[in-house]
Amino acid sequence: MPLEIVRNDITKVKADAIVNSANRQPVCGGGTEYQIYEAAGHEDLLKAREQVGPLDVAEVAVTPAFALDAKYIIHTVGPKWMGGKSGEMLALAGCYRNALEMAKELGCESIAFPLISSGVFRFPKDYAVRIATQAIGEFLQTNEMLVTLVVFDRKAFEVSEDLYSDIQAFIDDNYVQDKYGDVRRYARRRWQGRNTPDYEEWPAEECDKLVLQSPRNLECVENLAEKCSISLDDILAKPGETFCDKLFNLIHEKNLDDVDVYKKANLDRKHFSKIRSNVKYKPTKKTALALAIALHLNMDETKDLLARAELALSPSNRGDLVVSYFIERGMYDIWEINNMLFKFGLPTLGV
């Protein structure tokens, strides 16, 4: 199952296990730990934690979740930042690995983490994010579990400043304003029959029909048809590979197996089984792009795979540009890509 990054209060997340970034001693601290104690029931949780006793850094212990919408609270002590030369990074990765292994032993199917050590322990947030996603990603390569990384707001979620700035420059250089945006907005209002700011929720396919029906656009389509050396009937009589055909041919050509692909695409097994069993499956763009990343496709190959699902990369879509940045540079770490998408406030891939 995949890793999902969400902006939320961890006490509001439903999961089999909630991870508490705990103090060494059985006392309630501040920040996220205080919120967990208050939501679970302060007195009950404190008594259970006292029975556990002191914990070392990266050690884990389990208590009931009490009033939380979970079965267990897994407590782990994160390391304090000491400049990066005292084993803090290995210790922080150990917090995630040990909590995940404990959740596995408990039979959990889902677990939610805060960004451990990124608060009062002053761990640099970009390091904390990278270590968290790498440790979780490594676990998910050989295990099935839905993992949620919960951050209170995007300001608390930091990434490499150099990489962020480079991607921002790439977006600025390549972003093209959607010149049909105003037409589509007008079409959506026509579809609904009234002028309202909620037009974005209306059926895009119907709105695009109205856009296409404008005299100017019909003329463009007719001119394009005249330039084609093959008729539409001929094209329809010899359709190419479907999305699923192309996907599974690529998997075979690259000597990969389904498990490798869906895990590297941040998809769960059920979702991929649906793709495998339905030859007419049509993916969302974020699913198709996740699979392109998992297969390490170059830009032309990615565009071809998307086209077989009637999808395309758009220079007026910031999410497409972020993903394009990584593909053009041969960078296929989906956790790093999703970290950056989340930082930009954009939908992540897979899930």
Side-chain angles (χ1 to χ4, degrees), residues 10-78:
I10 196 169
T11 65
K12 302 293 193 299
V13 175
K14 182 177 181 179
D16 290 340
I18 298 291
V19 176
N20 174 39
S21 185
N23 278 278
R24 283 177 177 251
Q25 299 300 320
V27 295
C28 175
T32 300
E33 184 173 33
Y34 178 80
Q35 293 174 342
I36 289 174
Y37 270 78
E38 288 297 296
H42 196 111
E43 186 175 341
D44 289 336
L45 182 52
L46 185 57
K47 286 181 180 178
R49 178 68 180 85
E50 287 172 345
Q51 291 176 0
V52 171
L55 293 172
D56 291 329
V57 172
E59 188 178 1
V60 297
V62 182
T63 64
F66 299 106
L68 289 177
D69 194 1
K71 298 176 183 177
Y72 311 102
I73 298 174
I74 298 177
H75 305 264
T76 186
V77 179

Side-chain angles (χ1 to χ4, degrees), residues 86-125:
S86 300
E88 306 98 304
M89 296 187 188
L90 289 175
L92 183 57
C95 291
Y96 289 98
R97 283 196 296 266
N98 294 340
L100 288 163
E101 289 296 337
M102 177 61 74
K104 181 180 176 181
E105 289 180 22
L106 294 168
C108 296
E109 295 182 356
S110 57
I111 184 171
F113 284 93
L115 198 57
I116 299 171
S117 288
S118 64
V120 295
F121 286 176
R122 301 184 181 279
F123 217 99
K125 290 185 174 63

Side-chain angles (χ1 to χ4, degrees), residues 43-221:
E43 186 175 341
D44 289 336
L45 182 52
L46 185 57
K47 286 181 180 178
R49 178 68 180 85
E50 287 172 345
Q51 291 176 0
V52 171
L55 293 172
D56 291 329
V57 172
E59 188 178 1
V60 297
V62 182
T63 64
F66 299 106
L68 289 177
D69 194 1
K71 298 176 183 177
Y72 311 102
I73 298 174
I74 298 177
H75 305 264
T76 186
V77 179
K80 292 182 179 179
W81 179 251
M82 304 292 288
K85 298 181 180 180
S86 300
E88 306 98 304
M89 296 187 188
L90 289 175
L92 183 57
C95 291
Y96 289 98
R97 283 196 296 266
N98 294 340
L100 288 163
E101 289 296 337
M102 177 61 74
K104 181 180 176 181
E105 289 180 22
L106 294 168
C108 296
E109 295 182 356
S110 57
I111 184 171
F113 284 93
L115 198 57
I116 299 171
S117 288
S118 64
V120 295
F121 286 176
R122 301 184 181 279
F123 217 99
K125 290 185 174 63
D126 56 337
Y127 288 179
V129 168
R130 186 167 68 250
I131 291 168
T133 54
Q134 285 179 347
I136 294 168
E138 288 171 4
F139 176 84
L140 291 176
Q141 288 303 306
T142 54
N143 295 277
E144 294 287 337
M145 193 177 295
L146 176 60
V147 183
T148 305
L149 184 61
V150 185
V151 295
F152 190 73
D153 58 35
R154 287 195 174 87
K155 292 180 180 178
F157 190 92
E158 293 185 6
V159 293
S160 165
E161 187 60 37
D162 289 343
L163 181 58
Y164 182 86
S165 298
D166 200 29
I167 293 174
Q168 183 62 67
F170 179 83
I171 292 173
D172 292 342
D173 290 342
N174 292 277
Y175 183 81
V176 177
Q177 183 68 40
D178 182 2
K179 62 183 178 181
Y180 297 113
D182 291 339
V183 180
R184 287 195 173 92
R185 283 191 282 274
Y186 170 71
R188 287 191 173 98
R189 291 190 180 100
R190 276 190 58 193
W191 169 257
Q192 184 68 7
R194 58 191 173 91
N195 193 355
T196 167
D198 296 328
Y199 56 79
E200 293 292 352
E201 299 177 2
W202 302 337
E205 64 276 11
E206 295 297 334
C207 298
D208 287 342
K209 287 179 186 176
L210 291 173
V211 174
L212 186 61
Q213 288 168 5
S214 71
R216 181 173 177 274
N217 286 330
L218 284 173
E219 182 181 354
C220 292
V221 172

Side-chain angles (χ1 to χ4, degrees), residues 3 93 128 143 149 189 224 233 310:
L3 165 62
N143 295 277
L149 184 61
R189 291 190 180 100
L224 180 62
D233 289 339
E310 301 175 8

